[in-house]
Amino acid sequence: TSGSTGKPKGVGITQQNLARLFESAWAVFEPAYDDVWSVFHSYAFDFSVWEIFGALVSGGRAVVVPLMVTRDTEAFHNLLVREGVTVLSQTPTAFQTLIQVDLAASVAARALRHIIFGGEELKSAALAPWVRACEDQLPQLVNMYGITETTVHVTWRELAVEDILSSDGQSPVGHALPDMLISVMDKNANAVPAGGVGELMVGG
């Protein structure tokens, strides 16, 4: 579903949409065949498409997180450690809670190689305490932006340590995936100048 309006609606997605998502994303994101993906989100939320099919398409292993474990951050953290999850997809809000548990845990989730943020605005400065604690083993941190109608992800931004530790509160969405086009337009669908305010229009 797409629920950003507060009135969720179903969105039909074809297999071709999925194929192009992963063909495009693999140009900038390279999972390994031995990666372990957590399937944290409900299959009614588009983020699950990335989690489920990302694991299958790359030849990795998908660990389906039980519903009650998704609601218990300590139990979820234990699962990450126990299963050796390497690819984690999280909304920034959920990850904030996980940061606190990971910092306090006797065994940290150090198998993580990729953390993909999506579903809501990422305040990169909020990651600073966790980044400082594990800077020597920092996974790849990626902010991805998209909407259900465009099949999950549209843009990609890999966060550097400098982005996080010197953040000015911005939430950079990065650049379009290779087969997508994005531009900022005003209410009359005219491109706005650099630095202007408008709506992000997506094409492909």
Side-chain angles (χ1 to χ4, degrees):
T1 63
S2 177
S4 58
T5 62
K7 296 179 180 179
K9 59 185 181 297
V11 176
I13 299 298
T14 69
Q15 291 179 347
Q16 185 176 9
N17 288 61
L18 294 179
R20 68 129 296 269
L21 168 65
F22 292 108
E23 286 177 7
S24 180
W26 274 199
V28 291
F29 173 71
E30 298 181 5
Y33 72 91
D34 59 346
D35 269 322
V36 180
W37 297 59
S38 62
V39 181
F40 179 87
H41 299 93
S42 163
Y43 60 78
F45 180 28
D46 65 357
F47 219 159
S48 69
V49 169
W50 173 260
E51 295 175 306
I52 295 168
F53 290 96
L56 296 176
V57 169
S58 65
R61 179 164 64 95
V63 176
V64 179
V65 182
L67 176 62
M68 296 312 294
V69 175
T70 67
R71 297 178 177 180
D72 181 337
T73 308
E74 288 192 13
F76 179 51
H77 184 269
N78 290 338
L79 178 145
L80 295 177
V81 173
R82 182 177 68 250
E83 297 290 344
V85 169
T86 61
V87 183
L88 172 65
S89 296
Q90 288 275 274
T91 62
T93 298
F95 192 70
Q96 281 304 303
T97 307
L98 188 60
I99 284 176
Q100 301 308 314
V101 171
D102 191 62
L103 291 175
S106 57
V107 179
R110 289 293 182 259
L112 291 170
R113 291 200 293 250
H114 311 279
I115 300 177
I116 311 297
F117 298 104
E120 63 187 35
E121 182 182 12
L122 171 66
K123 298 288 190 182
S124 53
L127 303 175
W130 185 75
V131 166
R132 289 190 184 99
C134 60
E135 191 169 351
D136 58 331
Q137 287 183 279
L138 191 66
Q140 179 189 41
L141 303 174
V142 178
N143 189 25
M144 296 190 85
Y145 168 83
I147 51 177
T148 306
E149 291 84 351
T150 59
T151 315
V152 192
H153 297 309
V154 171
T155 68
W156 167 276
R157 169 66 183 259
E158 182 172 358
L159 300 172
V161 172
E162 296 74 28
D163 291 330
I164 297 164
L165 300 183
S166 62
S167 174
D168 57 3
Q170 298 294 316
S171 180
V173 297
H175 300 281
L177 290 174
D179 66 339
M180 304 295 281
L181 300 170
I182 58 172
S183 56
V184 181
M185 306 242 180
D186 63 20
K187 62 183 179 181
N188 297 314
N190 296 313
V192 301
V197 175
E199 292 195 21
L200 189 64
M201 307 295 282
V202 180

